[in-house]
Amino acid sequence: MTALPNCPICAMPNTYEDGDNFVCADCGHEWPVAGEAPGEAATTVRDSNGNLLADGDTVVVIKDLKVKGSSIPLKQGTVIKHIRLVDGDAEHIEGNSDKIKGLVLKTCFLRKA
């Protein structure tokens, strides 16, 4: 019999396996058996105000930004619709503005609309 891991949230040893997940009987936390290591959280992407961003969200630029390869700057208040999150990178998103396509922007210059 293999030893079950302790819960990564409450550190109690009272865990059991339920299908593809481990479950803590004390706090109810579930985490996958394979794939991510226990305690390793998925990448969360947040804007400059700390709001959680997801694929398909709309964001607004909070300051004028120079765009490499373009003579057109992104002005404050420019709306970026239908953003895409970059895998494994919590600091960048991909998106398109009305005038410039294929932008990769830092989340510290964006706020959720």
XYZ file of all heavy atoms in Angstrom:
836
model
N 0.848 -1.176 0.000
C 0.000 0.000 0.000
C 0.898 1.245 0.000
O 1.845 1.345 0.765
C -0.881 -0.005 1.248
C -1.849 1.118 1.296
S -3.004 0.801 2.642
C -3.487 2.439 2.976
N 0.588 2.186 -0.851
C 1.379 3.408 -0.923
C 0.881 4.402 0.111
O -0.313 4.460 0.433
C 1.285 4.041 -2.320
O -0.072 4.378 -2.580
C 1.799 3.097 -3.395
N 1.806 5.196 0.621
C 1.446 6.204 1.617
C 0.772 7.378 0.924
O 1.249 7.869 -0.101
C 2.694 6.672 2.347
N -0.338 7.802 1.461
C -1.052 8.958 0.902
C -0.426 10.242 1.422
O 0.002 10.311 2.584
C -2.528 8.897 1.289
C -3.307 7.700 0.734
C -4.721 7.694 1.292
C -3.343 7.744 -0.778
N -0.373 11.276 0.587
C 0.239 12.539 1.025
C -0.653 13.284 2.006
O -1.872 13.102 2.023
C 0.389 13.325 -0.274
C -0.700 12.809 -1.152
C -0.830 11.348 -0.804
N -0.037 14.124 2.831
C -0.794 15.001 3.711
C -1.460 16.093 2.880
O -1.002 16.424 1.783
C 0.118 15.651 4.753
C 0.631 14.642 5.758
O 0.166 13.516 5.828
N 1.607 15.058 6.541
N -2.503 16.678 3.403
C -3.212 17.751 2.721
C -2.296 18.981 2.585
O -1.692 19.405 3.571
C -4.466 18.122 3.509
S -5.373 19.519 2.791
N -2.192 19.588 1.384
C -1.341 20.763 1.219
C -1.925 22.018 1.868
O -1.209 22.983 2.102
C -1.237 20.930 -0.293
C -2.416 20.236 -0.849
C -2.750 19.134 0.116
N -3.201 22.007 2.220
C -3.838 23.181 2.831
C -3.739 23.136 4.353
O -3.228 24.049 4.983
C -5.325 23.285 2.405
C -5.447 23.382 0.879
C -6.001 24.470 3.071
C -4.781 24.603 0.273
N -4.229 22.049 4.955
C -4.265 21.983 6.424
C -3.178 21.085 7.014
O -3.031 21.018 8.232
C -5.641 21.524 6.907
S -6.048 19.817 6.476
N -2.428 20.361 6.172
C -1.322 19.483 6.567
C -1.752 18.283 7.420
O -0.927 17.654 8.072
C -0.232 20.270 7.276
N -3.020 17.952 7.417
C -3.502 16.795 8.166
C -3.297 15.519 7.333
O -3.415 15.536 6.118
C -4.990 16.968 8.512
C -5.299 18.165 9.399
S -4.535 18.079 11.006
C -5.499 16.813 11.760
N -3.008 14.387 7.991
C -2.753 13.140 7.261
C -4.023 12.375 6.887
O -3.935 11.332 6.248
C -1.913 12.341 8.257
C -2.371 12.816 9.589
C -2.689 14.279 9.409
N -5.186 12.861 7.255
C -6.445 12.167 7.022
C -6.921 12.411 5.586
O -7.868 13.155 5.349
C -7.483 12.639 8.044
C -8.707 11.747 8.047
O -8.724 10.691 7.439
N -9.734 12.200 8.739
N -6.260 11.768 4.597
C -6.620 11.936 3.191
C -6.988 10.587 2.593
O -6.617 9.534 3.110
C -5.449 12.543 2.392
O -4.322 11.688 2.504
C -5.091 13.931 2.888
N -7.708 10.629 1.477
C -8.056 9.412 0.757
C -8.109 9.714 -0.730
O -8.162 10.860 -1.151
C -9.395 8.825 1.248
C -10.581 9.740 1.079
C -11.377 9.667 -0.063
C -10.929 10.652 2.063
C -12.472 10.500 -0.213
C -12.021 11.482 1.919
C -12.796 11.399 0.776
O -13.878 12.234 0.630
N -8.047 8.651 -1.524
C -8.055 8.782 -2.973
C -9.477 8.573 -3.475
O -10.162 7.622 -3.095
C -7.113 7.746 -3.578
C -6.748 8.028 -4.995
C -5.624 7.123 -5.482
O -4.917 6.524 -4.666
O -5.473 7.031 -6.705
N -9.949 9.487 -4.335
C -11.294 9.418 -4.890
C -11.189 9.620 -6.401
O -11.149 10.747 -6.880
C -12.189 10.480 -4.253
C -13.629 10.394 -4.735
O -14.059 9.309 -5.155
O -14.322 11.434 -4.694
N -11.112 8.521 -7.139
C -10.962 8.620 -8.592
C -9.599 9.194 -8.955
O -8.570 8.623 -8.613
N -9.581 10.324 -9.641
C -8.338 10.964 -10.060
C -7.856 12.021 -9.076
O -6.914 12.756 -9.381
C -8.522 11.618 -11.434
C -8.725 10.584 -12.527
O -8.300 9.432 -12.335
O -9.307 10.928 -13.571
N -8.494 12.154 -7.929
C -8.137 13.187 -6.947
C -7.841 12.599 -5.580
O -8.353 11.542 -5.217
C -9.282 14.199 -6.792
C -9.487 15.044 -8.013
O -8.552 15.323 -8.743
N -10.715 15.454 -8.240
N -7.008 13.313 -4.831
C -6.879 13.085 -3.403
C -7.863 14.030 -2.723
O -8.081 15.147 -3.180
C -5.462 13.407 -2.900
C -4.423 12.421 -3.326
C -3.338 12.822 -4.080
C -4.509 11.083 -2.956
C -2.365 11.922 -4.453
C -3.533 10.174 -3.328
C -2.464 10.596 -4.088
N -8.445 13.591 -1.610
C -9.404 14.408 -0.868
C -9.003 14.413 0.600
O -8.660 13.372 1.167
C -10.847 13.851 -1.012
C -11.839 14.700 -0.236
C -11.249 13.765 -2.469
N -9.046 15.589 1.216
C -8.783 15.716 2.644
C -10.111 15.602 3.379
O -11.038 16.382 3.126
C -8.111 17.050 2.956
S -7.849 17.314 4.724
N -10.215 14.654 4.295
C -11.455 14.454 5.047
C -11.673 15.562 6.072
O -12.805 15.799 6.488
C -11.430 13.099 5.735
N -10.609 16.254 6.479
C -10.738 17.295 7.502
C -11.237 18.618 6.929
O -12.159 19.223 7.465
C -9.403 17.502 8.217
C -9.001 16.257 8.997
O -9.878 15.684 9.673
O -7.831 15.861 8.912
N -10.596 19.090 5.834
C -10.974 20.420 5.309
C -11.728 20.337 3.990
O -12.263 21.336 3.518
C -9.734 21.311 5.159
S -8.600 20.822 3.840
N -11.767 19.148 3.348
C -12.517 18.984 2.109
C -11.758 19.383 0.852
O -12.310 19.344 -0.240
N -10.482 19.761 0.973
C -9.688 20.168 -0.188
C -9.427 18.973 -1.094
O -9.171 17.875 -0.633
C -8.366 20.779 0.282
C -7.451 21.159 -0.834
N -7.744 22.191 -1.707
C -6.261 20.650 -1.231
C -6.772 22.304 -2.586
N -5.850 21.384 -2.321
N -9.523 19.201 -2.432
C -9.232 18.164 -3.413
C -8.089 18.625 -4.301
O -7.988 19.798 -4.641
C -10.457 17.892 -4.284
C -11.636 17.333 -3.527
C -12.798 16.993 -4.457
O -12.584 16.872 -5.673
O -13.910 16.840 -3.952
N -7.195 17.690 -4.686
C -6.132 17.997 -5.623
C -5.860 16.759 -6.450
O -6.134 15.637 -6.032
C -4.889 18.524 -4.897
C -4.172 17.547 -4.025
C -3.058 16.818 -4.351
C -4.489 17.171 -2.680
N -2.669 16.033 -3.308
C -3.535 16.224 -2.252
C -5.492 17.537 -1.771
C -3.555 15.646 -0.998
C -5.513 16.967 -0.530
C -4.550 16.034 -0.141
N -5.331 16.939 -7.669
C -5.164 15.798 -8.579
C -4.084 14.833 -8.122
O -3.084 15.227 -7.523
C -4.787 16.449 -9.911
C -4.314 17.799 -9.573
C -4.989 18.199 -8.298
N -4.298 13.544 -8.422
C -3.334 12.504 -8.093
C -2.104 12.646 -8.980
O -0.984 12.645 -8.516
C -3.960 11.104 -8.276
C -2.913 10.020 -8.139
C -5.080 10.899 -7.277
N -2.292 12.807 -10.291
C -1.188 12.949 -11.241
C -1.157 14.377 -11.761
O -2.114 15.127 -11.634
C -1.381 11.984 -12.397
N -0.051 14.754 -12.352
C 0.055 16.099 -12.914
C 0.724 17.032 -11.944
O 1.899 16.895 -11.661
N -0.025 17.983 -11.413
C 0.544 18.964 -10.496
C 0.968 18.313 -9.190
O 0.316 17.423 -8.670
C -0.505 20.031 -10.143
C -0.779 21.009 -11.248
C -1.710 22.103 -10.777
O -1.526 22.603 -9.655
O -2.615 22.445 -11.513
N 2.053 18.795 -8.654
C 2.486 18.333 -7.337
C 1.594 18.965 -6.277
O 1.128 20.081 -6.449
C 3.935 18.720 -7.102
N 1.329 18.270 -5.167
C 0.508 18.875 -4.127
C 1.149 20.158 -3.621
O 2.349 20.246 -3.424
C 0.494 17.814 -3.025
C 0.857 16.541 -3.695
C 1.719 16.910 -4.860
N 0.325 21.170 -3.460
C 0.820 22.450 -2.968
C 1.241 23.384 -4.081
O 1.454 24.558 -3.858
N 1.356 22.885 -5.319
C 1.733 23.731 -6.444
C 0.465 24.277 -7.072
O -0.330 23.541 -7.651
C 2.517 22.900 -7.465
C 3.023 23.704 -8.641
C 3.795 22.821 -9.598
O 4.653 22.058 -9.138
O 3.523 22.898 -10.799
N 0.239 25.562 -6.941
C -0.993 26.172 -7.420
C -0.895 26.463 -8.910
O 0.185 26.673 -9.447
C -1.263 27.463 -6.659
N -2.037 26.479 -9.576
C -2.082 26.860 -10.977
C -1.765 28.352 -11.089
O -1.940 29.112 -10.146
C -3.466 26.559 -11.538
N -1.302 28.764 -12.256
C -0.938 30.156 -12.463
C -2.194 31.018 -12.462
O -3.129 30.760 -13.210
C -0.210 30.307 -13.808
O 0.907 29.441 -13.826
C 0.250 31.727 -14.018
N -2.224 32.036 -11.620
C -3.322 32.975 -11.608
C -2.818 34.294 -12.156
O -1.746 34.759 -11.805
C -3.884 33.191 -10.190
O -2.824 33.645 -9.347
C -4.471 31.920 -9.636
N -3.602 34.886 -13.053
C -3.231 36.136 -13.697
C -4.115 37.233 -13.127
O -5.340 37.117 -13.131
C -3.405 36.028 -15.229
C -3.024 37.325 -15.905
C -2.586 34.878 -15.772
N -3.485 38.297 -12.636
C -4.226 39.406 -12.029
C -3.851 40.711 -12.707
O -2.725 40.891 -13.160
C -3.919 39.487 -10.549
C -4.369 38.232 -9.793
C -4.289 38.400 -8.304
N -4.735 37.217 -7.626
C -6.009 36.976 -7.303
N -6.939 37.837 -7.592
N -6.336 35.861 -6.672
N -4.812 41.649 -12.754
C -4.552 42.964 -13.336
C -3.887 43.872 -12.312
O -3.511 43.440 -11.220
C -5.839 43.578 -13.887
C -6.845 43.948 -12.811
O -6.583 43.725 -11.614
O -7.905 44.488 -13.163
N -3.729 45.149 -12.647
C -3.035 46.085 -11.758
C -3.788 46.330 -10.453
O -3.180 46.730 -9.462
C -2.809 47.418 -12.473
O -4.051 47.997 -12.829
N -5.080 46.086 -10.422
C -5.880 46.264 -9.209
C -6.046 44.973 -8.415
O -6.707 44.964 -7.383
C -7.264 46.821 -9.554
C -7.196 48.210 -10.136
O -6.279 48.965 -9.838
N -8.153 48.549 -10.980
N -5.490 43.877 -8.912
C -5.593 42.601 -8.216
C -6.789 41.765 -8.619
O -7.034 40.721 -8.014
N -7.538 42.186 -9.627
C -8.673 41.404 -10.094
C -8.191 40.226 -10.928
O -7.254 40.344 -11.711
C -9.612 42.261 -10.944
C -10.213 43.393 -10.152
O -10.567 43.229 -8.998
N -10.317 44.557 -10.762
N -8.838 39.090 -10.782
C -8.469 37.879 -11.504
C -8.879 38.005 -12.964
O -10.004 38.392 -13.269
C -9.159 36.679 -10.857
C -8.669 35.313 -11.242
C -7.207 35.145 -10.856
C -9.494 34.261 -10.554
N -7.958 37.676 -13.884
C -8.237 37.721 -15.316
C -8.395 36.306 -15.854
O -7.749 35.375 -15.375
C -7.098 38.420 -16.065
C -6.877 39.898 -15.758
C -5.643 40.403 -16.496
C -8.087 40.714 -16.140
N -9.250 36.158 -16.862
C -9.476 34.866 -17.506
C -9.511 35.066 -19.016
O -9.649 36.190 -19.503
C -10.799 34.269 -17.024
N -9.385 33.967 -19.754
C -9.482 34.043 -21.211
C -10.817 34.651 -21.608
O -11.861 34.314 -21.049
C -9.368 32.650 -21.833
C -7.944 32.160 -21.919
O -7.025 33.001 -21.950
O -7.746 30.936 -21.967
N -10.785 35.562 -22.588
C -12.004 36.168 -23.094
C -12.417 37.450 -22.384
O -13.367 38.098 -22.801
N -11.724 37.828 -21.317
C -12.054 39.069 -20.605
C -11.711 40.287 -21.453
O -10.962 40.212 -22.421
C -11.277 39.165 -19.287
C -11.866 38.314 -18.186
O -12.997 37.817 -18.352
O -11.186 38.136 -17.165
N -12.256 41.421 -21.047
C -11.947 42.711 -21.662
C -11.178 43.533 -20.643
O -11.562 43.599 -19.480
C -13.236 43.443 -22.070
O -13.940 42.620 -23.003
C -12.947 44.786 -22.697
N -10.065 44.140 -21.088
C -9.231 44.958 -20.212
C -9.043 46.340 -20.823
O -9.269 46.546 -22.015
C -7.856 44.294 -19.947
C -8.010 43.015 -19.164
C -7.097 44.060 -21.227
N -8.609 47.292 -19.981
C -8.366 48.668 -20.400
C -6.934 49.034 -20.029
O -6.465 48.713 -18.939
C -9.364 49.626 -19.705
C -9.095 51.073 -20.086
C -10.794 49.250 -20.034
N -6.232 49.723 -20.940
C -4.863 50.175 -20.699
C -4.914 51.363 -19.744
O -5.709 52.288 -19.936
C -4.186 50.572 -22.031
C -2.785 51.095 -21.799
C -4.172 49.397 -22.986
N -4.064 51.368 -18.693
C -4.135 52.418 -17.670
C -3.119 53.535 -17.874
O -3.152 54.520 -17.156
C -3.982 51.832 -16.255
C -2.635 51.159 -16.073
C -5.124 50.897 -15.927
C -2.331 50.777 -14.634
N -2.211 53.382 -18.856
C -1.270 54.464 -19.162
C -0.825 54.337 -20.608
O -0.908 53.264 -21.192
C -0.093 54.463 -18.193
C 1.094 53.625 -18.544
C 2.194 53.741 -17.524
C 3.502 54.101 -18.181
N 4.621 54.143 -17.294
N -0.383 55.455 -21.200
C 0.093 55.424 -22.578
C 1.297 54.493 -22.689
O 2.220 54.548 -21.874
C 0.500 56.826 -23.043
C -0.695 57.757 -23.195
O -1.842 57.287 -23.088
O -0.473 58.959 -23.436
N 1.286 53.625 -23.709
C 2.361 52.657 -23.910
C 2.904 52.763 -25.328
O 2.133 52.860 -26.286
C 1.852 51.229 -23.689
C 1.310 50.872 -22.318
C 0.704 49.477 -22.338
C 2.405 50.955 -21.284
N 4.223 52.736 -25.461
C 4.856 52.652 -26.774
C 4.811 51.195 -27.204
O 5.036 50.288 -26.409
C 6.296 53.124 -26.702
C 6.437 54.593 -26.413
C 7.899 54.983 -26.381
C 8.039 56.445 -26.029
N 9.457 56.856 -25.946
N 4.530 50.967 -28.487
C 4.440 49.610 -29.017
C 5.620 49.380 -29.945
O 5.807 50.127 -30.908
C 3.106 49.400 -29.770
C 3.032 47.995 -30.332
C 1.936 49.676 -28.860
N 6.422 48.371 -29.645
C 7.557 48.052 -30.500
C 7.060 47.616 -31.870
O 6.127 46.840 -31.994
C 8.399 46.932 -29.898
C 9.188 47.335 -28.698
C 10.071 46.185 -28.228
C 10.854 46.593 -27.012
N 11.705 45.495 -26.529
N 7.697 48.145 -32.918
C 7.337 47.770 -34.276
C 6.159 48.532 -34.830
O 5.680 48.226 -35.911
N 5.671 49.524 -34.123
C 4.536 50.310 -34.580
C 4.769 51.774 -34.235
O 5.352 52.097 -33.206
C 3.248 49.824 -33.914
O 2.165 50.649 -34.278
N 4.312 52.645 -35.102
C 4.423 54.074 -34.815
C 3.211 54.581 -34.034
O 3.192 55.722 -33.598
C 4.557 54.861 -36.124
O 3.405 54.648 -36.922
N 2.223 53.717 -33.853
C 0.999 54.090 -33.138
C 1.119 53.652 -31.683
O 1.253 52.460 -31.395
C -0.232 53.397 -33.765
C -0.338 53.725 -35.242
C -1.503 53.805 -33.037
C -1.358 52.883 -35.977
N 1.068 54.596 -30.726
C 1.101 54.191 -29.313
C -0.279 53.730 -28.845
O -1.297 54.062 -29.450
C 1.514 55.464 -28.588
C 0.990 56.555 -29.460
C 1.075 56.041 -30.877
N -0.294 52.941 -27.776
C -1.561 52.589 -27.127
C -1.866 53.681 -26.119
O -1.089 53.909 -25.192
C -1.448 51.247 -26.406
C -1.612 49.991 -27.215
C -1.449 48.780 -26.322
C -2.935 49.942 -27.908
N -2.963 54.371 -26.298
C -3.336 55.467 -25.405
C -4.044 54.928 -24.168
O -4.647 53.851 -24.192
C -4.265 56.454 -26.127
C -3.633 57.160 -27.303
C -2.659 58.175 -26.819
C -2.128 58.992 -27.970
N -1.207 60.002 -27.550
N -3.973 55.703 -23.108
C -4.693 55.357 -21.881
C -6.176 55.245 -22.208
O -6.733 56.078 -22.914
C -4.479 56.448 -20.839
C -5.208 56.210 -19.545
C -4.951 57.325 -18.538
O -4.164 58.218 -18.773
N -5.629 57.246 -17.430
N -6.815 54.206 -21.723
C -8.235 53.991 -21.963
C -8.531 53.092 -23.148
O -9.689 52.780 -23.409
N -7.500 52.664 -23.892
C -7.704 51.753 -25.016
C -8.248 50.423 -24.502
O -7.756 49.876 -23.528
C -6.382 51.509 -25.775
O -5.871 52.748 -26.238
C -6.595 50.578 -26.954
N -9.273 49.922 -25.166
C -9.920 48.678 -24.765
C -9.310 47.517 -25.545
O -9.173 47.575 -26.765
C -11.444 48.749 -25.019
C -12.117 47.425 -24.708
C -12.053 49.870 -24.207
N -8.945 46.469 -24.836
C -8.447 45.224 -25.428
C -9.485 44.158 -25.126
O -9.685 43.793 -23.970
C -7.074 44.813 -24.841
C -6.074 45.965 -24.860
C -6.548 43.581 -25.547
C -5.628 46.412 -26.220
N -10.174 43.674 -26.168
C -11.247 42.696 -25.987
C -10.733 41.280 -26.238
O -9.794 41.069 -26.985
C -12.390 42.982 -26.952
C -13.083 44.296 -26.703
C -14.209 44.493 -27.679
C -14.884 45.824 -27.447
N -15.963 46.056 -28.402
N -11.372 40.324 -25.612
C -11.125 38.895 -25.819
C -9.650 38.542 -25.635
O -9.003 38.018 -26.538
C -11.605 38.444 -27.195
C -13.021 38.818 -27.488
N -14.075 38.286 -26.803
C -13.554 39.711 -28.362
C -15.199 38.804 -27.254
N -14.909 39.677 -28.198
N -9.121 38.810 -24.455
C -7.719 38.523 -24.185
C -7.483 37.019 -24.082
O -8.420 36.246 -23.855
C -7.236 39.212 -22.885
C -7.956 38.654 -21.664
C -7.349 40.708 -22.998
C -7.321 39.064 -20.353
N -6.234 36.623 -24.266
C -5.819 35.233 -24.093
C -4.682 35.223 -23.083
O -3.762 36.034 -23.159
C -5.336 34.654 -25.423
C -6.456 34.477 -26.434
C -5.938 34.010 -27.780
N -4.892 34.860 -28.360
C -5.109 36.025 -28.982
N -6.336 36.491 -29.079
N -4.101 36.715 -29.499
N -4.735 34.301 -22.143
C -3.680 34.172 -21.150
C -2.516 33.391 -21.743
O -2.714 32.470 -22.516
C -4.201 33.464 -19.905
C -5.418 34.097 -19.232
C -5.804 33.281 -18.011
C -5.149 35.528 -18.855
N -1.295 33.769 -21.375
C -0.095 33.075 -21.827
C 0.167 31.941 -20.842
O 0.241 32.165 -19.630
C 1.102 34.047 -21.886
C 2.365 33.316 -22.302
C 0.805 35.203 -22.834
N 0.310 30.714 -21.347
C 0.531 29.543 -20.489
C 1.786 29.702 -19.649
O 2.850 30.008 -20.166
C 0.643 28.274 -21.321
C -0.683 27.826 -21.885
O -1.718 28.211 -21.310
O -0.687 27.092 -22.880
N 1.654 29.499 -18.348
C 2.785 29.526 -17.447
C 3.356 30.903 -17.165
O 4.406 31.026 -16.562
N 2.695 31.969 -17.604
C 3.201 33.323 -17.409
C 2.094 34.183 -16.818
O 1.108 34.484 -17.480
C 3.668 33.915 -18.738
C 4.429 35.206 -18.592
O 4.541 35.701 -17.452
O 4.906 35.732 -19.605
N 2.267 34.584 -15.560
C 1.239 35.369 -14.874
C 1.384 36.863 -15.119
O 0.573 37.638 -14.646
C 1.297 35.095 -13.375
N 2.401 37.282 -15.868
C 2.643 38.711 -16.072
C 2.269 39.215 -17.455
O 2.313 40.421 -17.698
C 4.114 39.031 -15.815
C 4.522 38.844 -14.383
C 5.952 39.285 -14.149
O 6.531 39.931 -15.028
O 6.483 38.970 -13.080
N 1.905 38.344 -18.400
C 1.619 38.762 -19.759
C 0.284 38.201 -20.240
O -0.118 37.106 -19.839
C 2.715 38.307 -20.714
C 4.031 38.952 -20.462
N 4.976 38.407 -19.630
C 4.553 40.117 -20.920
C 6.031 39.203 -19.596
N 5.803 40.247 -20.364
N -0.373 38.959 -21.128
C -1.568 38.489 -21.822
C -1.398 38.807 -23.300
O -0.585 39.652 -23.670
C -2.872 39.133 -21.276
C -2.852 40.666 -21.383
C -3.119 38.723 -19.843
C -3.721 41.165 -22.480
N -2.179 38.150 -24.141
C -2.189 38.428 -25.569
C -3.551 38.995 -25.921
O -4.566 38.612 -25.339
C -1.958 37.154 -26.376
C -0.611 36.520 -26.150
C -0.453 35.205 -26.891
O -1.443 34.705 -27.464
O 0.658 34.682 -26.885
N -3.573 39.915 -26.892
C -4.837 40.498 -27.304
C -4.670 41.392 -28.508
O -3.574 41.580 -29.033
N -5.787 41.967 -28.953
C -5.813 42.859 -30.109
C -6.565 44.128 -29.753
O -7.606 44.077 -29.091
C -6.518 42.194 -31.287
C -5.830 40.930 -31.756
O -4.615 40.874 -31.801
N -6.611 39.913 -32.077
N -6.040 45.269 -30.207
C -6.792 46.515 -30.091
C -7.438 46.758 -31.450
O -7.264 45.979 -32.385
C -5.883 47.679 -29.700
O -5.036 48.032 -30.775
N -8.173 47.863 -31.584
C -8.817 48.165 -32.855
C -7.798 48.435 -33.952
O -8.011 48.098 -35.106
C -9.746 49.372 -32.706
C -10.941 49.061 -31.818
O -11.305 47.879 -31.724
O -11.502 50.001 -31.230
N -6.656 49.035 -33.605
C -5.673 49.450 -34.603
C -4.456 48.534 -34.679
O -3.805 48.465 -35.704
C -5.202 50.872 -34.306
C -6.313 51.885 -34.403
C -5.811 53.271 -34.114
C -6.959 54.261 -34.164
N -6.520 55.607 -33.873
N -4.119 47.849 -33.588
C -2.904 47.025 -33.547
C -3.282 45.590 -33.182
O -3.925 45.352 -32.165
C -1.893 47.580 -32.522
C -1.590 49.046 -32.805
C -0.614 46.757 -32.557
C -0.762 49.716 -31.738
N -2.862 44.664 -34.017
C -3.164 43.246 -33.799
C -1.938 42.537 -33.234
O -0.811 42.935 -33.464
C -3.568 42.569 -35.111
C -4.705 43.267 -35.843
C -5.961 43.282 -35.047
C -7.063 43.957 -35.848
N -8.063 44.556 -35.033
N -2.144 41.462 -32.502
C -1.059 40.631 -32.005
C -0.253 41.257 -30.887
O 0.965 41.136 -30.858
N -0.913 41.895 -29.940
C -0.224 42.535 -28.821
C 0.063 41.535 -27.705
O -0.756 40.656 -27.430
C -1.082 43.655 -28.235
C -1.292 44.881 -29.105
C -2.392 45.751 -28.515
C -0.012 45.666 -29.210
N 1.216 41.697 -27.086
C 1.525 40.993 -25.843
C 1.771 42.084 -24.816
O 2.669 42.899 -24.969
C 2.765 40.081 -25.973
C 3.092 39.439 -24.638
C 2.524 39.016 -27.030
N 0.922 42.133 -23.782
C 0.960 43.228 -22.813
C 1.226 42.719 -21.409
O 0.779 41.624 -21.041
C -0.376 43.978 -22.829
C -0.761 44.622 -24.156
C -2.219 45.039 -24.126
C 0.130 45.820 -24.423
N 1.912 43.535 -20.619
C 2.129 43.226 -19.217
C 0.845 43.556 -18.445
O 0.216 44.590 -18.675
C 3.292 44.033 -18.645
C 4.619 43.534 -19.091
C 5.708 44.178 -18.283
C 6.929 43.321 -18.365
N 7.588 43.167 -17.115
N 0.493 42.714 -17.507
C -0.744 42.909 -16.757
C -0.674 44.090 -15.806
O -1.702 44.597 -15.373
C -1.087 41.637 -15.962
O -0.002 41.298 -15.125
C -1.389 40.486 -16.909
N 0.531 44.571 -15.476
C 0.648 45.711 -14.562
C 0.183 47.006 -15.211
O -0.009 48.009 -14.526
C 2.069 45.845 -14.033
S 3.300 46.166 -15.296
N -0.025 47.022 -16.539
C -0.508 48.212 -17.236
C -1.966 48.080 -17.641
O -2.456 48.855 -18.451
C 0.342 48.476 -18.480
C 1.780 48.740 -18.175
C 2.763 47.896 -18.665
C 2.163 49.812 -17.396
C 4.096 48.121 -18.366
C 3.494 50.045 -17.101
C 4.471 49.201 -17.597
N -2.675 47.100 -17.086
C -4.064 46.825 -17.475
C -4.962 46.764 -16.251
O -4.514 46.459 -15.157
C -4.143 45.480 -18.202
C -3.223 45.293 -19.395
C -3.286 43.848 -19.868
C -3.616 46.222 -20.519
N -6.233 47.074 -16.493
C -7.254 46.851 -15.470
C -8.450 46.192 -16.151
O -8.712 46.419 -17.328
C -7.657 48.124 -14.744
C -8.434 49.108 -15.577
C -8.960 50.271 -14.725
N -9.452 51.328 -15.580
C -10.661 51.351 -16.138
N -11.497 50.359 -15.912
N -11.024 52.346 -16.907
N -9.153 45.383 -15.398
C -10.316 44.678 -15.936
C -11.441 45.670 -16.186
O -11.711 46.544 -15.376
C -10.764 43.606 -14.944
C -11.716 42.595 -15.513
C -11.901 41.465 -14.545
C -12.779 40.401 -15.143
N -12.878 39.259 -14.248
N -12.084 45.536 -17.343
C -13.177 46.448 -17.696
C -14.476 45.990 -17.085
O -14.678 44.882 -16.748
C -13.320 46.517 -19.211
